[in-house]
Structures are given as C-alpha cells and as structure tokens.
Amino acid sequence: MPDTDRIRALRAATGASGIWDWDIPTATLHADEGFADIYGLDPEMAQNGVPAEVFFHAIHPDDRDRIRIALAGIMAGAEFFSKEFRVITPDDQIIWVHARGRGHADHREMPVRFTGVLVDVTERKRTEERLRIAQTAGGIGTFEFIDGFATAEVSEEFCRLLGLYPAPRLPVQTINSVVRSGEGQLLPDSRRGVVPDNLDGIFCITRNDDGALRWIARRGEVLREGHGYRLIGVIFDVTASQQQATALRELNDTLESRVQSELAIRNRAVEALRQAQKMESIGQLTGGIAHDFNNLLMAISSSLDLLRKRIPSDPQADRLIDNARQATNRGAALTQRMLAFARQQDLKPESVDIVRLVGNMTQLLQHTIGPAWTLKFDLPDGFPPVIADANQLEMAIVNLVVNARDAMADGGTIRIETRRIHVQENEVMSLAAGDYLQLSVVDEGVGMDALTLQRATEPFFTTKGVGKGTGLGLSMIDGLANQLKGTFTLHSAPAAGTTATLWLPIAEDGGPLPVVAPRSHPAEMSARPLRILAVDDDALILMNTAEFLLDLGHEVFEAGSGQQALDILDRQPGIDLLITDQAMPNMTGLQLVEKVRLSLPDLPVVIATGYGDILQNAQAGVTKLAKPFTQNELSQAVSDTILVRER
C-alpha cells in the first residue's frame, strides 16, 4: 500500500475524491481518508486494510449487481475498469461517483492487485439529467462542450434555432459565426483561454439559413473537472420578450420624454407666472408713483398758472414760468407712460381701421427715421377694424419704428405687417379666445439676447445708454395692449433682428364704439357763479383748485376728506357742484359720490384723477377730469357738467 503522503499527492493530481488499493489474493482493501469518508469507514482502519467486500456495502442497491459483474471481469483478468454508480453516504445522501481503476497481474498473468480512484460527479449527473429533460421540451436546444475540443455536442433543436444544418456535433467556430458582431460568443473559444463564470446570457444572432434577426438566451452550468471544465446548457428563442422589452423601453423613453416636456411646460408656466406677478407688482408700484407724481405736477402746474396772473408782466419772468410749465408738461407725459405701463391711463377706445391709420402715418414715419432706413408695408385691404385708442396707437407705432431704426445703426429695411389670427382658449397667455389683428414691426438689426428680451418691457429698462431713452417706450406699449384686452410680444435673437407685435382685438360688429361726447365750445360755458364743494386729501392741490375756482368767480367750500365733504353738504344747502379727487384714504371719490347720491341724487359731480379706468362703472352725471389739469381744463369740465345737467 502506498504511504499516506503519496496517496494524498495522487488524489490532488487527479482531482479524485478517494483512492483505493485492492489486494486480490487476501481480499483486503486499503483506502485513503477520502474513500473512507465516502463509504463511512474509519480512516485508520481503511488505511490498514478492511475486507474488500466493503467496496459494495455503500453502493446503491440498484447499481450493486451491475458493479459486481464489472468487477468480476477484473478478477478474471480484465485490465481496465470505468463505471459510474450511486453511493449512499453515512448521512443517507445519494451521490454519484465515477470509479476508474486498473488490474495488475503477476508473472503468471493472474490478477493480484486492483487500484483506482473515485471522482464525485454528482453535479454533472444532475446537470445531465436536467439536460435530458430539456431535450424533451419543444423549442429548447441543448449543448455540451468540453474544454480543449473544437466541436460541441448539440441537439437537433439547437441547430434549428440557429438555422444550422442538423448534426450531432458542430464546430464551435460555426456556432459562434451566427452571433452578431459585438454580442460575444455562444460557446467559448478554447484557444483564447476564456472560461465563463456562468452560462447565463442573451445573444443577438442572424440565422444562418434565412438571415432572420433573432434573440437567443443561453442557460447552463460550468463544471470544473481537474484543470479543465465542461459546459452543459440549453438555448431558447426569446425574440418576442426582447421585442416587448424594447417596446417597453421605447415606451418608457417616450413617457420620460413626455414627462420632461410636461415639466418644461410647467416650469415655463411657473416662470411666466412669476414674471407676470413681478410685472404686476412693478405695475402697481409704477401706478402709485405716477399718481403721486401727478399730484406734485398738479400743484406745480396750477401754482404756475396762478403765479402768471398775479405778477406783473416781465419777459424774463414769463420765460422762466414758460420753462417751468414745459417741464411740468414733460413730466405729465412721463406719468402718462408710467400709467400706460400700469394699465391705468385714460383711454378712448373706438373702432380703428388700422390699415388706413398706418397708411396715413407713412410720411410721418419716414420723416422720423430718416433717409438711411427704408419702410416696407404689408397691409392687405379688407381687414376689419380693431378696438384701440387711435392717438395712443399712433404713438405706439412711432415708438416701435424708432426702436427698429435704432437697432440698425447703418441703415436698413423696416417692415410693417398686419395679419388676422384666431386664438383658441388658453392658446396665448393673457388673451381670451377670439379674433385678433396682429400689427408687427420687423427690423434686421442687432437683436436681443434672452436676458435682454426678458426685461425689455420692464419700466425704465433701456439699452440705449444714459440720456438716450427713458426705458418706458415698450412698457407703455405693453400696458396699452393689455388695457385694450390684447397683448404685446417680442421675438428676437442676437444678430437676427427683432419682431415686435401688437395683438389687438377685432371689433365685433365692425362699427364705431361709443366715445365720450365732444366738449362744449367755450361760448356755451355757464357764466353764472356757482357754489362748489372741492374735495382733495392733498392740501396743496386742494388750495390751488380752490384758487382756480375763486379766480373764475365761483364760491368754494374746501374738504380734505370724504367725511368732511359729507359734513359740509349737511351744513351748506344749495351746493351746485361737487369736485372731488378719486384716490383718497378711507373713502374714495366714487364712494363719496355713492353716499352723496342717497340724499342729493341730482348733484353734478366732477372726479379729478390720473387713473384711466375708474369711471367704467360710475353713475350718470359724473364727469372725469384728468390730472394734472389747467385752469382752462377745470373751467371746461365745470361748464360741461353744469350744461349737461341743465339741458
């Protein structure tokens, strides 16, 4: 019997699970601890020798007779033994072993020794059983590949799935040739020394027979055998599931794209809302500033008018007063632009033929921009009239044309275009559904970047440099369009020019809108003195208004609030006219009028204000006087109101 170290070395070299040495003449079996462990023997006893009959004790009863017959051949002189059989281990587990042995004869050629090794092949047998079951299932191809061989054993279904000619063995190179480039190998090429960790994978192939594109899944096991390995596995067609997976991915991509698009729309809406809220806040602030500025201008303007009447005529003094008066007029124009942006200016909307209006402005526009710039018009006839304030619209067009000129320092062409468009509900932000006329002024100038474009309609924002613009032109146009229930849009990009577009609602009936009746001629003014109640919370304006009225020969009662005015009306019967400011704390002018009408329903009223829309729901008998006003404008308003009431 070999010594223990040699047995262990032999077992390690062969990858065996156990080794035996059978002494035939004495019917004694010597074995190492691996053999003893499999058979449930004491290792020391096994090494010293046990009855040879124990070789059969652990063999599964169903295999025992078959192994006895095979061993009888060795005893009769056969040289080689190689059998696979089941063994029942001491813990009642069933394992598969492959016994490989050799008989040794003496000089008389009689068998005297039988040596061999046991190799545990349980996993391989289980894999082969699964492979055998798979071979009975339709649509599943089987394969077995042993390391070092250039061919693999395959089933008929394996060949059919790959579109190869049916054969029990196929070259590995032929099998891998159907796999599309970059998809790997169905079976490893032994020459490359690549040993897979597992056989799970999916491969895109081009069938060899019809060129169809298919997806093949591979499943199986890698069995290590000594220094080599064996691959046993199956393949099956997963094209349908891959197509579904691809469709699902495409659907997910589409949904993801749609979600991203919806998020982008939502973000744009949020940004638009934020910008609208910002502009609304700026508009409210601008309107408040314009109102207070109007009051200051009113005090200055009226004081200048009164001063001119009270000082002796002097050329230098007259010139200074005229300068101050011009400054107040420029300030008044500035407040009107601020009120336009705040959508609080005084408008006189009417039905305007925009094609005719622009046509009548041709010479004015060309003279304004100069000879280096050319005007081109695209104004088709037949457009219906729009709702607009003609004077304010003319100012807006002039502003847009001047801006277009300034964007083209070296000259160029400015186009003025009109077209009709129908807007659906929620199609254009801030516009109600309906028909609109677009008036566009298009230049070929430097254009604006995104940040400049975003701020272009903010009040006091300008790119023209210090002293070259107030920054109120576009904000005034934007406010005008919105106050007319339209909108104003800008489209521009650097070096791509700018398109500025006014969207104006088309007049529903195409006819003129009701407008304020023309003022009476001064000759019709009432000459009789009146008892007038003047109301204003600003003491300077109240004083100057009273001075205007006293200078016109009227008797004046002054009130600094709505409540003071009500108290005076209770104490002073026979008041002929009420002149009141609109924006007063605690009680506005219109609220005062409502209270007065409860007891004096026929009392004529003049409301002085810088805001444009406060009289939309006012009662009859109320005349509006725009601030700042002159003495002549105040006198005209008094006469108009009294004459209308007397008629």
Side-chain angles (χ1 to χ4, degrees), residues 375-413:
L375 285 172
K376 287 191 175 181
F377 299 90
D378 183 7
L379 308 171
D381 293 330
F383 280 134
V386 297
I387 302 172
D389 181 311
N391 292 331
Q392 296 292 338
L393 183 56
E394 287 179 351
M395 290 177 56
I397 294 172
V398 171
N399 259 309
L400 292 178
V401 171
V402 169
N403 281 349
R405 177 202 65 188
D406 293 344
M408 298 184 293
D410 299 327
T413 299

Side-chain angles (χ1 to χ4, degrees), residues 416-642:
I416 301 179
E417 308 169 344
T418 56
R419 74 185 185 108
R420 181 172 182 167
I421 188 169
H422 180 76
V423 174
Q424 302 288 345
E425 193 72 32
N426 299 321
E427 182 181 356
V428 179
M429 188 172 293
S430 79
L431 284 187
D435 292 320
Y436 294 83
L437 197 67
Q438 289 182 334
L439 173 65
S440 298
V441 177
V442 185
D443 66 61
E444 303 165 342
V446 295
M448 293 179 277
D449 58 30
L451 182 59
T452 303
L453 188 63
Q454 183 179 357
R455 300 191 58 194
T457 56
E458 290 183 11
F460 308 113
F461 177 80
T462 180
T463 59
K464 295 182 179 180
V466 178
K468 296 184 179 180
T470 63
L472 284 170
L474 293 182
S475 62
M476 180 271 291
I477 296 170
D478 183 63
L480 169 67
N482 283 277
Q483 198 169 350
L484 292 170
K485 309 301 181 185
T487 193
F488 177 62
T489 57
L490 287 169
H491 295 283
S492 185
T498 300
T499 299
T501 303
L502 268 167
W503 303 55
L504 298 172
I506 290 176
E508 293 184 2
D509 57 4
L513 298 175
V515 296
V516 178
R519 291 179 175 176
S520 303
H521 190 274
E524 299 182 73
M525 294 173 58
S526 173
R528 68 181 180 89
L530 302 172
R531 290 165 56 87
I532 300 176
L533 173 57
V535 188
D536 202 303
D537 62 310
D538 189 310
L540 291 177
I541 295 178
L542 180 60
M543 180 185 70
N544 287 352
T545 301
E547 288 294 329
F548 273 163
L549 294 171
L550 289 172
D551 188 62
L552 292 171
H554 302 298
E555 182 181 0
V556 183
F557 301 88
E558 300 178 32
S561 67
Q563 187 58 52
Q564 288 183 15
L566 292 175
D567 294 340
I568 292 174
L569 287 172
D570 287 340
R571 297 194 310 268
Q572 295 290 338
I575 296 294
D576 297 310
L577 178 66
L578 170 65
I579 299 178
T580 178
D581 183 31
Q582 164 60 12
M584 299 185 296
N586 300 323
M587 187 184 304
T588 66
L590 286 177
Q591 290 172 338
L592 172 61
V593 172
E594 291 178 359
K595 292 182 179 293
V596 169
R597 289 286 166 82
L598 295 176
S599 56
L600 299 171
D602 297 326
L603 180 65
V605 176
V606 174
I607 290 186
T609 180
Y611 295 106
D613 57 354
I614 60 102
L615 295 183
Q616 289 181 353
N617 299 316
Q619 299 173 353
V622 176
T623 299
K624 179 182 174 182
L625 177 61
K627 285 185 176 181
F629 53 80
T630 64
Q631 185 178 33
N632 287 337
E633 290 170 338
L634 174 63
S635 176
Q636 185 70 60
V638 169
S639 297
D640 287 348
T641 306
I642 294 299

Side-chain angles (χ1 to χ4, degrees), residues 90-165:
D91 56 358
D92 291 330
Q93 297 294 318
I94 298 177
I95 65 172
W96 279 89
V97 296
H98 186 182
R100 297 196 295 268
R102 182 173 184 177
H104 305 275
D106 59 10
H107 62 280
R108 295 172 298 174
E109 297 186 357
M110 294 296 294
V112 293
R113 291 178 61 204
F114 172 41
T115 59
V117 297
L118 292 177
V119 178
D120 189 336
V121 294
T122 304
E123 286 303 314
R124 179 170 63 80
K125 295 296 287 186
R126 290 174 178 170
T127 301
E128 289 176 348
E129 177 62 17
R130 291 195 293 270
L131 183 62
R132 184 189 64 79
I133 295 172
Q135 286 177 325
T136 65
I140 297 179
T142 62
F143 65 88
E144 182 175 1
F145 170 72
I146 300 176
D147 179 31
F149 287 80
T151 60
E153 292 186 8
V154 296
S155 68
E156 184 176 343
E157 185 65 14
F158 183 98
C159 299
R160 189 194 68 79
L161 288 170
L162 302 185
L164 299 171
Y165 186 80

Side-chain angles (χ1 to χ4, degrees), residues 6-153:
R6 289 181 61 195
I7 290 175
R8 288 175 177 169
L10 180 61
R11 187 173 65 185
T14 60
S17 301
I19 295 177
W20 80 84
D21 187 350
W22 187 333
D23 189 338
I24 296 175
T26 63
T28 303
L29 184 72
H30 300 270
D32 70 347
E33 63 267 29
F35 187 101
D37 185 55
I38 293 174
Y39 273 75
L41 302 175
D42 179 85
E44 188 175 350
M45 290 178 59
Q47 184 178 352
N48 294 329
V50 294
E53 187 65 21
V54 301
F55 189 89
F56 301 100
H57 289 174
I59 297 177
H60 193 283
D62 292 344
D63 297 335
R64 195 173 297 157
D65 290 342
R66 178 169 58 86
I67 300 306
R68 282 187 182 276
I69 294 172
L71 284 174
I74 293 294
M75 302 306 170
E79 185 177 359
F80 296 105
F81 175 88
S82 178
K83 293 295 179 183
E84 292 180 354
F85 53 88
R86 287 165 288 181
V87 173
I88 302 175
T89 64
D91 56 358
D92 291 330
Q93 297 294 318
I94 298 177
I95 65 172
W96 279 89
V97 296
H98 186 182
R100 297 196 295 268
R102 182 173 184 177
H104 305 275
D106 59 10
H107 62 280
R108 295 172 298 174
E109 297 186 357
M110 294 296 294
V112 293
R113 291 178 61 204
F114 172 41
T115 59
V117 297
L118 292 177
V119 178
D120 189 336
V121 294
T122 304
E123 286 303 314
R124 179 170 63 80
K125 295 296 287 186
R126 290 174 178 170
T127 301
E128 289 176 348
E129 177 62 17
R130 291 195 293 270
L131 183 62
R132 184 189 64 79
I133 295 172
Q135 286 177 325
T136 65
I140 297 179
T142 62
F143 65 88
E144 182 175 1
F145 170 72
I146 300 176
D147 179 31
F149 287 80
T151 60
E153 292 186 8

